[in-house]
Amino acid sequence: MFQSKRRSWRMLLIALVTVLAFSVMAGCGKNASSGGKDTSKVIATYEGGEITENEFDREQRIVLALQPQMEQFMQMEDFRQYLVKQEIAYEYLEAKADEKTKEAGKKKAEEQFDLMKSSYGEENFKNMLDAQKVSEAEFKDYMVRIYTVMEGERQKISEDDVKKEFEATKQDYTTASVRHILINFTDPDGKERTEEETLKLAKEVKAKLDKGEDFAALAKQYSEDPGSKDNGGLYENVEVSNWVEAFKQAALTQPLNQIGDPVKTEYGYHIIRVESRTEKKFEDLTQEQKDMIQTTLASNKLDEFMAGDLEKKIIKKIDLPKVETSTGENGTGTDTNAGNGSNAGTDAGTNAGTEGSGNAGNTGTGSNTGNGAANNAGSNSGNTSK
């Protein structure tokens, strides 16, 4: 469905944590699964604790198990700085949580762990962890820590906070039934069209509609959106927030049952007819939607904490191992010195904002982990799709 939008590595990492916290475990404690005393170098110190090289390495491998396409970012200094600060934040806040919060976080983690494992299938789940040499115990510890912290942040969000956020963003919860025909910037044979060519074809299709030809029949004939063309171009009762901005605005503002001028998005030109539009009130929201708002606000609070008190008061020192590049006969590779064993020559062309497989499914693959977790939770983690 023309869902929005590409994100930076930072937004992907925040989304990863949010999705896991909302969607995706026995033993707690940072060294519960380390298999012995950690004697590796201390690379970060903070009020009440420290992070060792081995712990940071494990954090990287767990992130890569969940989001393999982020491997290229493990070579970037600003990403690694953010990742270690995030690790500090979660360890610090977990230690500060009271027993009630810890129990609630652990319970949610345990409930969702089985769902996640079931969603992948036991063998696929094991392969996902094995690929990064992550044990199930290490993965569970990570999940418990995230759930505990997010539960603590969620407890700070009142129902009034959720209502205020809904009122500020309530147009995003409007649902619309929209029939459209997409003329892509690339033809069915993969040949690129110029913007002028694309718009000319879109106007020709609109002219046929203006003369009274059947929308559904023309959608099947001309639309290049495989997610809707066989349904006569129809997306029915969809929250408008799922669509990219220009398409969303057309769905919100175009007069009902009138064919608008072609609307340009990054995919091409759309000829749109809005057939119905329903605004929601707070009391119309499902509990799942309210929980999603609460989780989003909790994630925002955590982000504010990381940019504020964590940076200014809590972190004492960070001394990450250097990312070293070396040139061999096979080209340039990268070594983080953290011993994670990942492919140093990873393809830098990997796009962190890869488009996920949406209903229209025009492009891309996205992260299986992120999609699986989001499906379990019924949440929208914001993967881009057509």
Side-chain angles (χ1 to χ4, degrees):
M1 278 208 268
F2 319 108
Q3 290 180 320
S4 55
K5 299 163 188 169
R6 291 187 185 279
R7 288 172 303 197
S8 66
W9 60 259
R10 185 170 176 276
M11 290 306 297
L12 272 174
L13 197 55
I14 292 169
L16 167 66
V17 171
T18 303
V19 168
L20 290 174
F22 191 65
S23 67
V24 217
M25 305 188 41
C28 293
K30 61 192 283 186
N31 292 321
S33 58
S34 62
K37 183 175 176 61
D38 185 353
T39 59
S40 62
K41 178 184 174 183
V42 173
I43 61 170
T45 55
Y46 60 93
E47 182 184 306
E50 60 188 28
I51 302 291
T52 68
E53 198 168 30
N54 284 347
E55 289 169 345
F56 183 56
D57 169 55
R58 182 166 61 241
E59 194 84 359
Q60 292 178 87
R61 287 185 283 109
I62 290 172
V63 169
L64 288 174
L66 292 164
Q67 294 275 28
Q69 77 269 30
M70 297 184 78
E71 185 172 1
Q72 61 169 319
F73 297 110
M74 295 300 177
Q75 304 166 12
M76 296 167 52
E77 188 62 29
D78 57 347
F79 175 84
R80 296 170 70 243
Q81 286 283 336
Y82 186 85
L83 185 60
V84 75
K85 289 173 185 177
Q86 179 178 269
E87 184 176 4
I88 292 169
Y90 275 83
E91 289 200 1
Y92 176 83
L93 292 173
E94 181 189 35
K96 295 289 185 183
D98 59 31
E99 289 305 313
K100 183 178 178 181
T101 301
K102 288 179 179 179
E103 284 300 315
K106 181 179 176 181
K107 181 180 179 182
K108 286 190 176 182
E110 289 172 342
E111 287 172 352
Q112 295 302 319
F113 178 73
D114 288 340
L115 289 176
M116 185 178 182
K117 199 170 183 178
S118 175
S119 174
Y120 282 102
E122 192 146 344
E123 184 176 353
N124 287 337
F125 185 74
K126 181 179 184 300
N127 291 339
M128 178 188 84
L129 298 183
D130 286 349
Q132 293 298 332
K133 297 182 173 59
V134 174
S135 71
E136 191 167 296
E138 288 171 332
F139 185 76
K140 287 179 179 180
D141 287 345
Y142 181 81
M143 294 297 100
V144 170
R145 185 162 71 248
I146 287 179
Y147 272 101
T148 298
V149 172
M150 289 304 296
E151 182 63 20
E153 297 303 309
R154 280 170 58 87
Q155 289 172 6
K156 300 174 186 176
I157 308 300
S158 68
E159 186 173 10
D160 282 343
D161 293 330
V162 174
K163 286 181 179 178
K164 287 177 184 177
E165 179 65 14
F166 169 75
E167 289 299 325
T169 59
K170 68 179 181 180
Q171 75 169 12
D172 288 344
Y173 295 88
T174 296
T175 59
S177 291
V178 173
R179 204 175 287 273
H180 85 126
I181 295 170
L182 169 65
I183 306 301
N184 248 323
F185 287 127
T186 305
D187 72 17
D189 295 325
K191 182 182 177 182
E192 287 191 13
R193 295 184 178 117
T194 66
E195 184 171 329
E196 291 76 16
E197 290 170 337
T198 309
L199 179 58
K200 181 175 182 289
L201 183 53
K203 286 181 175 179
E204 289 172 1
V205 174
K206 181 180 183 298
K208 292 176 182 288
L209 292 167
D210 290 340
K211 290 177 182 177
E213 293 193 36
D214 182 68
F215 202 118
L218 289 176
K220 289 181 180 180
Q221 181 179 355
Y222 288 103
S223 184
E224 292 164 345
D225 170 21
S228 67
K229 67 175 297 178
D230 291 336
N231 193 33
L234 180 64
Y235 284 120
E236 192 168 18
N237 295 324
V238 176
E239 282 191 0
V240 297
S241 60
N242 286 305
W243 292 316
V244 292
E245 189 62 25
F247 197 97
K248 167 186 164 182
Q249 289 304 320
L252 284 169
T253 61
Q254 198 168 291
L256 294 181
N257 296 309
Q258 292 185 24
I259 298 165
D261 290 332
V263 173
K264 180 185 174 184
T265 71
E266 63 192 273
Y267 307 110
Y269 279 94
H270 309 254
I271 304 99
I272 297 170
R273 185 173 75 197
V274 183
E275 300 192 343
S276 68
R277 188 163 47 227
T278 305
E279 294 183 2
K280 283 189 179 179
K281 298 178 181 178
F282 183 75
E283 50 267 29
D284 296 327
L285 295 182
T286 64
Q287 188 58 49
E288 183 180 56
Q289 288 172 316
K290 292 176 183 178
D291 287 344
M292 175 62 82
I293 295 173
Q294 186 183 37
T295 297
T296 298
L297 292 174
S299 182
N300 291 343
K301 279 192 175 293
L302 180 60
D303 203 32
E304 290 169 9
F305 167 75
M306 288 184 62
D309 285 353
L310 186 77
E311 291 265 13
K312 297 171 184 175
K313 301 177 182 179
I314 295 166
I315 294 175
K316 296 180 180 179
K317 184 179 180 182
I318 294 177
D319 183 21
L320 289 178
K322 299 289 185 184
V323 177
E324 296 180 359
T325 58
S326 59
T327 303
E329 62 182 16
N330 291 326
T332 300
T334 304
D335 180 5
T336 66
N337 282 338
N340 75 10
S342 62
N343 180 3
T346 183
D347 180 8
T350 303
N351 189 331
T354 31
E355 296 170 353
S357 53
N359 289 341
N362 256 358
T363 65
T365 54
S367 162
N368 290 336
T369 299
N371 288 342
N375 288 339
N376 283 340
S379 69
N380 179 358
S381 65
N383 282 347
T384 54
S385 355
K386 277 185 176 180

